[in-house]
Amino acid sequence: MNTDHVVRTFVEYFQERGHRRITGSTLLPPPVDPVLFTTSGMHPLTPYLEGRPHPLGRRLVNVQRCLRTTDLDEVGDNTHLTVFEMLGTWSLGDYEGRQSLGWGYELLTQGFGVDPGLLHATAFGGDGRTGPDTASLEVWQERGVPVEITTDDNWWSNGPTGPCGPDSEIFLWTGDTPPQSTPTGDDRWVEVWNHVMMRHRRLDDGSLVPLPQRNVDTGLGLERLATVLQGRTSVFECDVFDPWRRLVPALWELDEPSLRLVCDHLRSAIVVIGDGVSPANTGRGYVLRRLVRRVLTVLRRDDPSRGLGDLPDELFRHTLHRFRQTVAPDAVRKVLLDEERRFGRLLERGRQVLARPRFRGPLSEEDLSYLHDTHGLPRDLVRSLRPR
């Protein structure tokens, strides 16, 4: 089942249950949202979760592209991507978590054919402010799915203030042995679907007040689910990365961790540029600049002649089509090549700075901070420029 089939199955299942499909937004959140990028499908829906009527009704479904900078250092493992797609559903004051989890179980086991014995769930155990999520616990117990009760891991919020609530997460076993332990005890349990019972608003003082309506907000990671359904062990092996894994190794000889980072960061950079972001020293532009320069640092670590001009057009076309973007591939390529030229000038300046007597010995934290703050040289670049 390829990713397009997964999307169709998901959307049609919820449309048959009264959900209207809404168009996913770009990676740029609404102006009032403090985050740099859309990190989940709920960002564009915040006003409706807070009580404003949605023009398409109380039951919604969509596919949303997301970017999470908090996972940058984890990219390269089996589950984390910088830019990814999230399948989402919402009940805006309509049905509650029990119904949502029941549908989730049915879709996974009947629609996608997941063995129920490979499922594990988690649920909120309560804290000093709110009680335990007994409804979710009962849903899983009725279906024979093991449940782990946690507190911090099963409370979802959109930041220090705003909509929040307890959640129940669904995990799939990806190990080559029979399932064992629990999601917090074994990372072979991979989270694929989070159901948030969004009933509260956190205020500036940390207190909770009820939202005007009781919502359900769910998010299912498309690439993670596709990976499991396709019998793969890593998101970098699912079908959306097929052209990347076919074409990039033919350009550059890379070990597996480096190949994953290069594919993820270049793919993410194309999507970010496709949504209108340009490299800069702050904000969204800095995230894009960091992605591109991390790729260039890896590529030139073993061969300074490697460059982005060699990237095949197919990778640009495939990625832009995958994320439903209309920008011309040549326009995206130009942004990447312009940033590569800036990086080249930074490298030359970095070599000159590091040749100074002060930096010939071991570098201290003070040295690394100075090089970054004064000369714009990040520590991973400094290490790559130092003689081996």
Side-chain angles (χ1 to χ4, degrees):
M1 184 177 287
N2 65 28
T3 47
D4 289 336
H5 189 180
V6 172
V7 170
R8 285 196 304 273
T9 302
F10 180 89
V11 171
E12 290 172 2
Y13 178 91
F14 283 100
Q15 285 177 326
E16 290 169 359
R17 287 152 183 80
H19 294 68
R20 300 286 298 277
R21 182 169 183 174
I22 58 176
T23 301
S25 75
T26 71
L27 287 176
L28 310 186
V32 296
D33 201 312
V35 299
L36 287 178
F37 291 100
T38 298
T39 61
S40 65
M42 64 81 60
H43 279 294
L45 293 172
T46 300
Y48 309 105
L49 292 165
E50 294 179 336
R52 181 191 300 176
H54 194 283
L56 293 182
R58 291 179 175 271
R59 298 185 179 189
L60 307 175
V61 60
N62 88 340
V63 183
Q64 175 64 51
R65 56 181 175 270
C66 304
L67 185 152
R68 293 186 181 173
T69 56
T70 54
D71 293 339
L72 271 183
D73 292 332
E74 297 184 74
V75 167
D77 67 8
N78 289 335
T79 60
H80 288 92
L81 298 169
T82 304
V83 167
F84 58 95
E85 291 186 278
M86 187 75 78
L87 306 177
T89 64
W90 291 269
S91 164
L92 303 176
D94 190 350
Y95 58 84
E96 300 238 2
R98 175 181 286 275
Q99 179 68 79
S100 181
L101 292 173
W103 280 337
Y105 176 84
E106 182 180 80
L107 177 57
L108 285 174
T109 57
Q110 299 181 28
F112 292 124
V114 174
D115 180 352
L118 300 179
L119 295 177
H120 204 303
T122 61
F124 182 66
D127 57 18
R129 300 169 302 176
T130 57
D133 182 8
T134 55
S136 295
L137 178 61
E138 290 171 358
V139 167
W140 298 124
Q141 289 176 333
E142 291 166 2
R143 288 160 177 79
V145 176
V147 186
E148 182 178 19
I149 303 300
T150 81
T151 300
D152 293 341
D153 289 343
N154 283 100
W155 182 269
W156 193 95
S157 62
N158 188 32
T161 61
C164 57
D167 66 37
S168 183
E169 300 172 355
I170 305 174
F171 292 76
L172 295 182
W173 178 251
T174 62
D176 53 7
T177 66
Q180 54 190 271
S181 189
T182 64
T184 62
D186 194 320
D187 60 11
R188 289 175 293 179
W189 287 109
V190 173
E191 179 198 346
V192 292
W193 203 347
N194 189 13
H195 293 240
V196 183
M197 280 50 84
M198 200 171 288
R199 306 163 182 161
H200 309 278
R201 165 179 276 281
R202 181 181 284 124
L203 304 179
D204 290 335
D205 62 3
S207 61
L208 299 177
V209 297
L211 284 171
Q213 61 192 23
R214 293 165 66 90
N215 310 295
V216 181
D217 161 32
T218 88
L220 186 155
L222 173 59
E223 294 87 353
R224 288 188 182 184
L225 179 61
T227 297
V228 175
L229 297 179
Q230 293 167 17
R232 310 293 176 81
T233 59
S234 160
V235 288
F236 294 96
E237 297 171 1
C238 75
D239 63 298
V240 297
F241 278 95
D242 283 349
W244 289 90
R245 295 196 71 93
R246 173 170 48 86
L247 295 172
V248 172
L251 284 179
W252 308 307
E253 185 177 345
L254 300 166
D255 58 35
E256 182 64 20
S258 297
L259 175 63
R260 292 181 178 188
L261 184 146
V262 166
C263 291
D264 171 87
H265 283 17
L266 282 177
R267 180 173 177 265
S268 299
I270 290 171
V271 180
V272 173
I273 295 168
D275 274 348
V277 178
S278 298
N281 290 328
T282 59
R284 298 185 182 103
Y286 179 72
V287 173
L288 173 58
R289 173 160 287 168
R290 186 181 176 197
L291 290 171
V292 176
R293 292 185 174 182
R294 288 185 91 188
V295 168
L296 292 170
T297 299
V298 169
L299 292 181
R300 298 187 180 192
R301 183 175 55 207
D302 298 321
D303 184 353
S305 68
R306 290 171 172 172
L308 302 182
D310 298 328
L311 278 176
D313 287 341
E314 180 181 343
L315 295 180
F316 290 89
R317 293 194 303 270
H318 176 270
T319 303
L320 293 169
H321 175 73
R322 172 81 247 168
F323 288 90
R324 303 165 296 282
Q325 295 172 300
T326 58
V327 64
D330 285 347
V332 178
R333 181 187 293 274
K334 181 180 184 303
V335 174
L336 288 178
L337 295 181
D338 286 346
E339 183 60 18
E340 183 177 40
R341 283 189 284 271
R342 293 189 191 95
F343 182 75
R345 293 193 291 269
L346 177 64
L347 284 180
E348 184 56 37
R349 185 168 74 251
R351 291 189 184 97
Q352 294 174 4
V353 171
L354 291 172
R356 297 174 184 175
R358 170 181 174 177
F359 303 116
R360 288 178 184 167
L363 297 179
S364 65
E365 281 298 316
E366 182 182 354
D367 291 330
L368 291 170
S369 296
Y370 169 81
L371 289 167
H372 179 271
D373 297 342
T374 304
H375 297 283
L377 299 171
R379 61 183 59 211
D380 54 350
L381 179 59
V382 170
R383 293 191 181 103
S384 72
L385 291 173
R386 296 277 288 183
R388 297 185 179 181

